[in-house]
């Protein structure tokens, strides 16, 4: 048996409202990848749509945690960052990258800071500029269209988009530094929604779409990013990993919509895990059939 691949996920923990670490840990682990966590902050809920949430900033813990891991000789096949808890954390995470980057590992930055044309209320334009600097050190980034515009210092365009706009955006984002860029929230018509992936080494651009489910569901960026990384760590090329992540996220959204769950609570990714593992080739069809018949 080969040794497990190991990822470190650096995001907040929102105790309620599935997103960030409460998504990354189960999704990546289920895909057979060891997942260490470095919590950037602890909140009672995520900040999208809830009021009165508690917020414990863990900025001061980041360097001691990194130092301890370094002293133990721990390494990672991938470093995956998402929501960060303060402006100062951008520098600390940049140092973390310097410490734990190797020639063979992957730095995936999800520049979580905005959606639907707006910066999340807790972040400032300075944070967006700092996030853009952090993205320069990444091998792969996974922004949504609002974040992409902010990273480039451009104004955010409403969709539907066309292929020219998306391919130019992908190439400009890659020119910041990351060789691989996956853009989420891409749509060319009102019926379908998905993601576009660019690999600067091959020059290949591919899109993956699923039927759009009306409404805005929280935490889907984290479901997508975690599934994308899990697929890449399982050896899938970027284009196929993007398709797997789009299918998993859409499946979780469909289940949540069908149940009529409060959209702030996060999506039902848990019951889409059997399909996801089948897509990854980890469980055979026969187990999928058994899982389907239990639904
Ligand atoms: O899913 C992104 C996210 C992660 N963590 C926290 C958030 C959000 C989005 O609002 O508030 C705390």
């Amino acid at each position: 048996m080969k040794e497990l691949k190991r990822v470190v996920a650096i995001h907040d923990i929102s105790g309620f409202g599935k997103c960030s670490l409460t998504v990354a840990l189960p999704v990546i682990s289920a895909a057979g990848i060891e997942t260490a966590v470095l919590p950037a902050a602890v909140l009672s809920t995520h900040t999208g749509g809830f009021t009165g949430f508690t917020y414990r900033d863990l900025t001061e813990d980041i360097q001691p945690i990194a130092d301890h891991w370094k002293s133990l000789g721990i390494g990672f096949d991938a470093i995956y960052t998402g929501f960060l808890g303060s402006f100062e954390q951008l520098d600390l995470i940049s140092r973390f990258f310097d410490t734990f980057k190797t020639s063979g590992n992957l730095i995936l930055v999800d520049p979580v800071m905005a959606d639907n044309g707006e910066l999340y209320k807790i972040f400032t334009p300075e944070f967006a500029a700092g996030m853009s600097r952090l993205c320069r050190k990444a091998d792969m980034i996974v922004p949504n269209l609002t974040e992409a515009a902010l990273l480039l210092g451009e104004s955010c365009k409403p969709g539907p988009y066309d292929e020219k706009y998306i391919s130019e955006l992908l190439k400009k984002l890659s020119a910041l530094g990351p060789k691989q860029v996956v853009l989420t929230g891409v749509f060319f018509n009102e019926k379908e929604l998905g993601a576009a992936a660019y690999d600067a080494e091959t020059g290949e651009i591919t899109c993956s779409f699923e039927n759009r489910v009306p409404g805005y569901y929280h935490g889907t960026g984290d479901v997508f990013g975690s599934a994308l990384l899990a697929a890449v760590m399982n050896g899938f090329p970027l284009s196929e990993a993007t398709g797997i992540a789009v299918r998993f996220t859409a499946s979780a959204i469909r289940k949540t919509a069908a149940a009529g769950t409060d959209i702030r609570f996060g999506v039902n990714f848990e019951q889409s895990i059997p399909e996801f593992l089948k897509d990854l080739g980890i469980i055979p069809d026969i187990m999928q059939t058994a899982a389907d018949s239990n639904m």
Side-chain angles (χ1 to χ4, degrees):
M1 191 96 189
K2 277 204 286 182
E3 252 196 61
L4 279 176
K5 288 211 171 144
R6 182 186 302 130
V7 163
V8 57
I10 308 176
H11 309 234
D12 68 287
I13 300 182
S14 291
F16 184 80
K18 290 171 283 182
C19 67
S20 39
L21 284 184
T22 62
V23 168
L25 186 49
V27 169
I28 301 169
S29 293
I33 311 293
E34 178 180 344
T35 312
V37 298
L38 201 176
V42 180
L43 293 82
S44 52
T45 66
H46 62 69
T47 65
F50 295 106
T51 52
F53 50 83
T54 67
Y55 192 100
R56 171 87 50 201
D57 176 29
L58 296 181
T59 302
E60 283 182 15
D61 294 284
I62 291 178
Q63 195 57 48
I65 291 172
D67 292 343
H68 184 216
W69 287 348
K70 188 69 193 164
S71 76
L72 295 174
I74 293 170
F76 305 103
D77 298 292
I79 302 168
Y80 168 34
T81 72
F83 180 101
L84 297 178
S86 69
F87 184 76
E88 296 74 50
Q89 288 190 8
L90 293 167
D91 270 345
L92 289 162
I93 298 307
S94 180
R95 277 173 68 182
F96 188 95
F97 290 169
D98 295 341
T99 307
F100 290 99
K101 178 69 189 159
T102 64
S103 56
N105 72 3
L106 176 85
I107 296 180
L108 169 59
V109 173
D110 182 351
V112 176
M113 59 183 169
D115 209 354
N116 284 322
E118 280 180 29
L119 205 56
Y120 294 142
K121 284 185 183 60
I122 44 168
F123 295 127
T124 60
E126 290 71 41
F127 184 89
M131 185 58 94
S132 187
R133 284 193 293 278
L134 190 68
C135 284
R136 285 163 211 264
K137 287 198 171 172
D139 299 300
M140 188 188 294
I141 58 171
V142 59
N144 61 36
L145 276 136
T146 308
E147 289 157 349
L150 284 164
L151 291 176
L152 295 169
E154 295 184 359
S155 56
C156 187
K157 257 182 62 159
Y161 306 96
D162 56 33
E163 285 184 21
K164 182 168 176 287
Y165 177 73
I166 295 300
S167 72
E168 282 175 4
L169 211 50
L170 287 167
K171 288 176 188 169
K172 281 188 277 186
L173 288 163
S174 176
L176 292 177
K179 283 196 288 294
Q180 296 183 314
V181 180
V182 180
L183 200 50
T184 60
V186 174
F187 61 105
F188 297 140
N189 58 61
E190 298 296 339
K191 257 197 77 200
E192 293 180 319
L193 181 65
Y198 174 60
D199 189 325
E201 250 160 35
T202 59
E204 190 188 28
I205 295 181
T206 49
C207 293
S208 300
F209 296 105
E210 287 278 306
N211 286 338
R212 180 193 279 273
V213 176
Y216 176 84
Y217 289 84
H218 283 275
T220 51
D222 301 325
V223 172
F224 182 89
S226 302
L228 178 78
L229 181 60
V232 168
M233 287 288 106
N234 272 287
F236 285 88
L238 189 67
S239 56
E240 285 179 50
T242 301
I244 290 169
V246 167
R247 285 190 287 280
F248 180 51
T249 310
S251 161
I253 293 173
R254 282 194 296 272
K255 287 186 172 65
T256 312
T261 312
D262 187 323
I263 58 160
R264 298 173 302 172
F265 292 4
V267 289
N268 180 351
F269 68 86
E270 295 89 336
Q271 291 180 319
S272 293
I273 282 179
E275 280 168 63
F276 173 53
L277 298 190
K278 185 186 153 221
D279 224 2
L280 288 170
I282 292 175
I283 56 170
D285 283 1
I286 188 157
M287 285 183 72
Q288 173 63 30
T289 312
D292 285 345
S293 65
N294 285 332
M295 276 182 58

